[in-house]
């Protein structure tokens, strides 16, 4: 059965766009029921409007604390009865109550090869560390920030002339491949978060998740 997806954003929403494009191309057995942003100016809301997807703004600054904001998000999101919640550049730390509520059906994308470089400034940190490769990871969200089990990774090489900006662009392009792919696998009931770990077609994945070969 087609899956119901809700996407949470804070900004440009280029990953949202990549997922919408993959749905339009028939690659994903699902549809985006709503897009929710914690920022009114997020360009991703316009992308949702253009695609005639309900676009909701719920500004965290209008709430007294994290708990009440997350509770308000849950009330909005649950109206759409989602099978999958996709964090696509949603730049808010979520409460344990929110994460538990969507356990096993909450995806995030992070611009590093987790478990390396949790948090911010991942590209700069990878360059400064002298790494030869970098990338991005789709993972299931748990209460530990950027710490949930890894589903899909895509790698890029760090070349001698790369700077933070060029590396960010390379990683972003790979995000637009691995995120729709992870959503596709989930919607086909191939990818699952189990007690034992992440499974793909019923087989337990290694800790770093499925490594998607990207031709650059
Ligand atoms: C993406 O690069 C994503 O990996 C990052 O925000 C960007 C959103 O871009 N997310 C995080 O850093 C989460 N920790 P987009 O709005 O164009 O999809």
């Amino acid at each position: 059965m087609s899956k119901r997806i809700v996407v949470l954003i804070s900004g440009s929403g280029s990953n949202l766009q990549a997922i919408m494009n993959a749905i339009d191309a028939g690659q994903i057995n699902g549809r985006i029921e709503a897009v929710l942003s914690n920022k009114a100016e997020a360009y991703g809301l316009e992308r949702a409007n253009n695609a005639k997807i309900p676009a909701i703004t719920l500004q965290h600054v209008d709430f007294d604390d994290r708990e009440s904001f997350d509770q308000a998000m849950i009330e909005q999101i649950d109206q759409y009865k989602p099978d999958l919640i996709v964090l696509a550049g949603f730049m808010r730390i979520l409460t344990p109550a929110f994460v538990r509520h969507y356990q096993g059906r909450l995806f995030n994308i992070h611009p590093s090869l987790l478990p390396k470089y949790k948090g911010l400034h991942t590209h700069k940190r990878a360059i400064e560390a002298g790494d030869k490769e970098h990338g991005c990871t789709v993972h299931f969200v748990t209460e530990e920030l950027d710490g949930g089990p890894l589903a899909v990774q895509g790698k890029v090489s760090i070349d001698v002339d790369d700077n933070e900006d060029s590396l960010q662009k390379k990683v972003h392009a790979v995000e637009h491949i691995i995120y729709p792919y992870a959503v596709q696998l989930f919607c086909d009931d191939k990818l699952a978060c189990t007690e034992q770990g992440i499974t793909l077609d019923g087989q337990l994945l290694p800790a770093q998740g499925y490594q998607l070969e990207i031709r650059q």
Side-chain angles (χ1 to χ4, degrees):
M1 221 170 59
S2 174
K3 298 280 197 270
R4 303 171 65 86
I5 303 166
V6 171
V7 182
L8 272 53
I9 58 162
S10 301
S12 148
S14 69
N15 279 289
L16 161 69
Q17 187 68 57
I19 294 167
M20 291 195 308
N21 293 349
I23 289 172
D24 287 348
Q27 288 161 17
I28 293 174
N29 183 22
R31 49 176 271 169
I32 300 175
E33 302 293 333
V35 171
L36 186 150
S37 172
N38 66 319
K39 293 200 171 163
E41 69 277 13
Y43 179 63
L45 290 168
E46 222 169 296
R47 297 182 193 269
N49 280 326
N50 290 341
K52 305 213 171 2
I53 294 169
I56 306 156
T57 303
L58 206 57
Q59 302 208 84
H60 60 274
V61 287
D62 295 339
F63 291 81
D64 289 339
D65 51 36
R66 239 176 241 289
E67 284 70 24
S68 51
F69 173 63
D70 279 13
Q71 189 50 42
M73 282 206 298
I74 288 176
E75 281 161 24
Q76 287 284 339
I77 294 168
D78 282 357
Q79 289 178 28
Y80 296 95
K81 302 190 181 356
D83 300 296
L84 177 65
I85 293 86
V86 171
L87 305 179
F90 184 72
M91 303 305 273
R92 290 284 301 167
I93 292 175
L94 296 162
T95 56
F98 185 95
V99 172
R100 275 199 297 270
H101 187 79
Y102 296 113
Q103 190 139 27
R105 53 185 175 125
L106 181 57
F107 265 174
N108 183 40
I109 190 155
H110 184 74
S112 79
L113 297 172
L114 288 172
K116 274 186 144 182
Y117 311 127
K118 297 175 180 177
L120 299 174
H121 311 299
T122 57
H123 312 302
K124 187 164 179 270
R125 286 155 69 199
I127 291 172
E128 282 175 1
D131 291 357
K132 294 279 174 281
E133 59 176 19
H134 185 46
C136 45
T137 307
V138 177
H139 65 95
F140 284 92
V141 178
T142 61
E143 291 174 35
E144 189 198 339
L145 183 67
D146 299 329
L150 313 186
V152 181
Q153 279 191 332
K155 288 182 179 164
V156 303
S157 61
I158 302 182
D159 302 322
V160 280
D161 52 353
D162 266 326
N163 55 34
E164 198 181 341
D165 191 47
S166 66
L167 189 56
Q168 190 262 340
K169 286 198 175 79
K170 281 206 271 193
V171 171
H172 228 157
V174 174
E175 290 184 23
H176 300 158
I177 299 169
I178 71 164
Y179 218 175
Y181 186 64
V183 171
Q184 177 187 336
L185 291 175
F186 185 91
C187 291
D188 285 342
D189 292 320
K190 291 183 167 192
L191 190 66
C193 188
T194 72
E195 296 261 302
Q196 287 71 39
I198 306 298
T199 57
L200 179 60
D201 286 329
Q203 303 289 317
L204 205 57
L205 283 176
Q208 70 270 30
Y210 179 74
Q211 304 292 305
L212 190 62
E213 284 299 322
I214 314 278
R215 281 203 203 98
Q216 287 179 67

